[in-house]
Structure formats: C-alpha cells, structure tokens
Amino acid sequence: MTEPSAAARPGPRRMSRRAVLVAGFGGLAVGAGGTEIGRALAETGPAAESHLASPGEELMTEHGVLKRLLLAYRAIHDRLAAGESVTAGVVTDSAELIADYVESFHEGLEEAYVFPRVAAEQPALIRTLLVQHDHGRHLTAAIQAAASAGLSEATVRAALASDIAAFVRMYEPHEAWEDTVVYPALRAVTAQRTLDELAERFAELENRQYGDSALTAILQRVAGVEDELGIGDIAACTPSGVA
C-alpha cells in the first residue's frame, strides 16, 4: 500500500473558526473602538520580556505558509490549463491546508483580535478584507467539492482551474495589504502590554490546535504537497545564468 503524503496524513483535530472567534471575544476583550486587551493588568507591573513572536510577526509567518500554498495552487492551475494530469489528492491536500490553517485558524485570529482594533483607522479596507475572507471560503469549498467529485470530466477541471485562479488572484493582494497596512496599523494603535498579551494568546491557540511544534507540523504538510507537485526545491526558482 502506498504511504499517504504528509499533507494527507491525519493531523490534530481542527479548531473551528468559530472556536477561535469565541476564544478571542471571551478571553481578551476586543472592540471596534480599539478596546484595551487585558484591562485587569493595568495595575500590575511591566510585562516580562517576551521571546514570543509579535502578533504581526506571527501573522506574517502564517502568510508565508499561505504564499507557499498559493505557489502550489499556481502549479496545479498551470497543469490543468496545459491539459496535464493532476491528482485529486494533491488538490484536496492543498485545499484542506488552506481551509484549516489559513481560513479557520489564521483568519479567525484576524477577525477576532486584529480587525476590530484597526477598523476605526481603516474601515473600507477592513470591510473589503472581510468580504474577501468570505469569498475565499466559498472558493475553497468549491475546490474541495471538485476534488471530491474526481477530475475525470473536462468541465470539472475547467471549473477547478477557474476557481483556483480566482483564489490566487484575490489572495496575493489580500495578504500584501494586510502585511503592509493592517499589521503596522495594529502596532500603531495598540499598547506594548496589549501586544505582549496578544502574542501569548496567539501562541496558546496555535499550540492547542497543532501542538508545541506548530509551524513544523504545518510545514511538513505543506512540504508533502510541494513534493507531490515537484516544486519543493527553491534552487529551481533561480534564473539560469545568474552568478
């Protein structure tokens, strides 16, 4: 029997986006007006030096995972567009990682902890990002459905290629605006004590969901997708003739 890829192996039970949101609103106070998180800590001494990644650093690392999955989506799309074969398994694995780590977990953190604090500064952008989160989940569901149905029909492959292209086209600018506008705005409007508390909460939620070596576990799954698609060697991306 062929051993399943790393991406296909069963992982920890998925924490639903609702659970992340409930944890956010129940554990650390947030609000559209930028309510201080951990108000009860106001009378305590300075927070101890933290070795955790800041909220922005953590979210941008998660965006790095998304970027690698977008590269996988591009590879799948290019093969479909060229009439080449693509296994339903690699599509399922890629979409499952996006549904689990990106949409349920990462976007859950943004919607619970980040967007409410930045909404007063960037109302139009936050509205657009929320709409795109919703569109992304619908596209992911369609991609998963196509893979479940099998890829033998030309119409299914064409629809899958279209949905993947739409997802990539939306999420490349989406994450760029978050990295360059939303996360810097979060730091600008948030006290350092609050940022430290957010860092602790993000680490707690990630470890609860994926274990103590959260990023390593996720990247092993991503590497399984990359290996199946033959895009796991970054050196292959270097233009020829470059010294």
Side-chain angles (χ1 to χ4, degrees), residues 61-117:
T61 298
E62 292 165 11
H63 273 179
V65 174
L66 172 59
K67 286 183 175 74
R68 289 175 66 169
L69 291 169
L70 293 179
L71 291 172
Y73 265 8
R74 280 188 174 278
I76 293 169
H77 172 271
D78 290 349
R79 293 185 185 185
L80 290 169
E84 299 174 6
S85 63
V86 174
T87 67
V90 76
V91 177
T92 297
D93 290 347
S94 303
E96 175 62 24
L97 278 160
I98 287 174
D100 178 10
Y101 191 67
V102 176
E103 295 173 342
S104 292
F105 182 74
H106 169 80
E107 291 180 359
L109 294 180
E110 290 178 332
E111 293 173 14
Y113 296 101
V114 180
F115 290 176
R117 298 192 62 81

Side-chain angles (χ1 to χ4, degrees), residues 47-238:
E49 181 181 357
S50 173
H51 298 287
L52 296 172
S54 70
E57 290 170 334
E58 175 62 30
L59 293 166
M60 289 177 74
T61 298
E62 292 165 11
H63 273 179
V65 174
L66 172 59
K67 286 183 175 74
R68 289 175 66 169
L69 291 169
L70 293 179
L71 291 172
Y73 265 8
R74 280 188 174 278
I76 293 169
H77 172 271
D78 290 349
R79 293 185 185 185
L80 290 169
E84 299 174 6
S85 63
V86 174
T87 67
V90 76
V91 177
T92 297
D93 290 347
S94 303
E96 175 62 24
L97 278 160
I98 287 174
D100 178 10
Y101 191 67
V102 176
E103 295 173 342
S104 292
F105 182 74
H106 169 80
E107 291 180 359
L109 294 180
E110 290 178 332
E111 293 173 14
Y113 296 101
V114 180
F115 290 176
R117 298 192 62 81
V118 179
E121 299 291 325
Q122 297 287 342
L125 176 59
I126 295 303
R127 284 195 299 270
T128 297
L129 295 176
L130 286 168
V131 168
Q132 291 181 345
H133 281 185
D134 185 62
H135 280 316
R137 293 174 188 122
H138 282 87
L139 285 168
T140 297
I143 291 166
Q144 290 175 311
S148 296
L151 304 179
S152 59
E153 297 292 333
T155 54
V156 173
R157 294 195 300 274
L160 175 61
S162 177
D163 287 338
I164 286 176
F167 190 96
V168 173
R169 185 168 58 249
M170 180 172 69
Y171 266 94
E172 286 180 336
H174 179 99
E175 65 178 358
W177 258 256
E178 288 182 341
D179 286 347
T180 58
V181 180
V182 175
Y183 302 160
L186 174 68
R187 173 169 286 280
V189 303
T190 308
Q192 185 60 49
R193 183 192 305 278
T194 300
L195 291 171
D196 292 342
E197 288 298 308
L198 279 172
E200 291 178 6
R201 176 50 60 93
F202 284 11
E204 174 192 348
L205 289 170
E206 187 172 58
N207 290 343
R208 184 191 305 174
Q209 172 60 15
Y210 300 105
D212 292 338
S213 302
L215 183 60
T216 298
I218 291 298
L219 289 179
Q220 286 176 343
R221 295 173 63 189
V222 174
V225 169
E226 293 169 336
D227 288 346
E228 186 166 350
L229 291 169
I231 61 170
D233 181 9
I234 190 174
C237 299
T238 307

